[in-house]
Protein backbone atom coordinates (compact mmCIF):
# COMPACT_ATOMS: atom_id res chain seq x y z
CA UNK A 1 0.00 0.00 0.00
CA UNK A 2 1.35 3.42 -0.89
CA UNK A 3 1.76 6.11 1.79
CA UNK A 4 -1.30 8.01 0.62
CA UNK A 5 -3.38 4.85 0.95
CA UNK A 6 -2.17 4.35 4.50
CA UNK A 7 -3.06 7.92 5.43
CA UNK A 8 -6.45 7.53 3.78
CA UNK A 9 -7.10 4.32 5.74
CA UNK A 10 -6.24 6.02 9.04
CA UNK A 11 -8.45 9.02 8.20
CA UNK A 12 -11.31 6.65 7.32
CA UNK A 13 -11.01 4.77 10.61
CA UNK A 14 -10.89 8.04 12.56
CA UNK A 15 -14.00 9.27 10.70
CA UNK A 16 -15.97 6.11 11.54
CA UNK A 17 -14.96 6.28 15.22
CA UNK A 18 -15.86 9.99 15.33
CA UNK A 19 -19.27 9.22 13.83
CA UNK A 20 -19.87 6.55 16.47
CA UNK A 21 -18.98 9.02 19.22
CA UNK A 22 -21.34 11.53 17.60
CA UNK A 23 -24.14 8.95 17.56
CA UNK A 24 -23.52 8.27 21.24
CA UNK A 25 -23.76 11.97 22.12
CA UNK A 26 -26.87 12.35 19.97
CA UNK A 27 -28.55 9.40 21.67
CA UNK A 28 -27.88 10.97 25.07
CA UNK A 29 -28.96 14.52 24.27
CA UNK A 30 -31.24 14.30 21.26
CA UNK A 31 -34.88 13.31 21.02
CA UNK A 32 -35.91 9.70 20.64
CA UNK A 33 -35.35 8.44 17.10
CA UNK A 34 -32.87 11.12 16.08
CA UNK A 35 -29.99 8.65 15.82
CA UNK A 36 -32.01 6.47 13.48
CA UNK A 37 -32.97 9.47 11.32
CA UNK A 38 -29.37 10.69 11.00
CA UNK A 39 -28.13 7.16 10.27
CA UNK A 40 -30.75 6.69 7.56
CA UNK A 41 -29.79 10.03 6.01
CA UNK A 42 -26.10 9.04 5.95
CA UNK A 43 -26.85 5.65 4.43
CA UNK A 44 -29.07 7.14 1.73
CA UNK A 45 -26.49 9.87 1.03
CA UNK A 46 -23.90 7.20 0.27
CA UNK A 47 -25.90 6.28 -2.84
CA UNK A 48 -26.35 9.90 -3.97
CA UNK A 49 -23.17 10.06 -6.03
CA UNK A 50 -21.32 7.84 -8.46
CA UNK A 51 -17.77 7.31 -7.23
CA UNK A 52 -16.48 6.09 -10.58
CA UNK A 53 -12.83 5.05 -10.42
CA UNK A 54 -11.77 7.44 -7.65
CA UNK A 55 -10.68 5.58 -4.52
CA UNK A 56 -11.34 8.68 -2.42
CA UNK A 57 -15.01 8.77 -3.43
CA UNK A 58 -15.32 5.00 -3.06
CA UNK A 59 -13.86 5.40 0.42
CA UNK A 60 -16.26 8.22 1.24
CA UNK A 61 -19.22 6.13 0.11
CA UNK A 62 -17.92 3.25 2.21
CA UNK A 63 -17.54 5.44 5.28
CA UNK A 64 -21.08 6.75 4.85
CA UNK A 65 -22.48 3.24 4.43
CA UNK A 66 -20.62 1.86 7.43
CA UNK A 67 -21.65 4.72 9.70
CA UNK A 68 -25.21 4.61 8.37
CA UNK A 69 -25.53 0.88 9.02
CA UNK A 70 -23.95 0.93 12.47
CA UNK A 71 -25.90 4.08 13.36
CA UNK A 72 -29.09 2.35 12.23
CA UNK A 73 -28.40 -0.54 14.58
CA UNK A 74 -27.68 1.88 17.41
CA UNK A 75 -30.79 3.88 16.52
CA UNK A 76 -33.02 0.81 16.73
CA UNK A 77 -31.45 -0.12 20.07
CA UNK A 78 -32.02 3.46 21.24
CA UNK A 79 -35.70 3.28 20.23
CA UNK A 80 -36.22 -0.02 22.05
CA UNK A 81 -34.35 0.82 25.26
CA UNK A 82 -35.42 4.42 25.79
CA UNK A 83 -38.76 5.00 27.50
CA UNK A 84 -41.49 6.79 25.61
CA UNK A 85 -42.36 10.33 26.56
CA UNK A 86 -46.00 10.37 27.60
CA UNK A 87 -48.34 13.28 27.01
CA UNK A 88 -49.66 13.48 30.58
CA UNK A 89 -46.20 13.62 32.18
CA UNK A 90 -46.26 10.19 33.84
CA UNK A 91 -43.68 7.74 32.59
Amino acid sequence: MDPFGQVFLVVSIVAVVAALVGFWFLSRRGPRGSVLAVAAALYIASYAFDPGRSRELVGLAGILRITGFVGGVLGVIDLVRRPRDSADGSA
Side-chain angles (χ1 to χ4, degrees), residues 14-91:
V14 168
V16 169
V17 170
L20 294 177
V21 170
F23 285 140
W24 181 72
F25 278 118
L26 185 59
S27 72
R28 296 289 179 219
R29 303 209 183 264
R32 194 169 179 252
S34 59
V35 173
L36 189 60
V38 170
L42 287 175
Y43 193 77
I44 291 169
S46 72
Y47 289 102
F49 55 89
D50 179 28
R53 296 177 49 103
S54 170
R55 70 176 172 182
E56 291 82 12
L57 290 179
V58 169
L60 177 63
I63 291 169
L64 290 174
R65 288 183 189 149
I66 290 169
T67 56
F69 178 77
V70 173
V73 171
L74 293 174
V76 169
I77 291 171
D78 186 43
L79 280 177
V80 171
R81 294 189 72 192
R82 244 172 142 183
R84 274 201 182 125
D85 297 332
S86 60
D88 61 346
S90 63

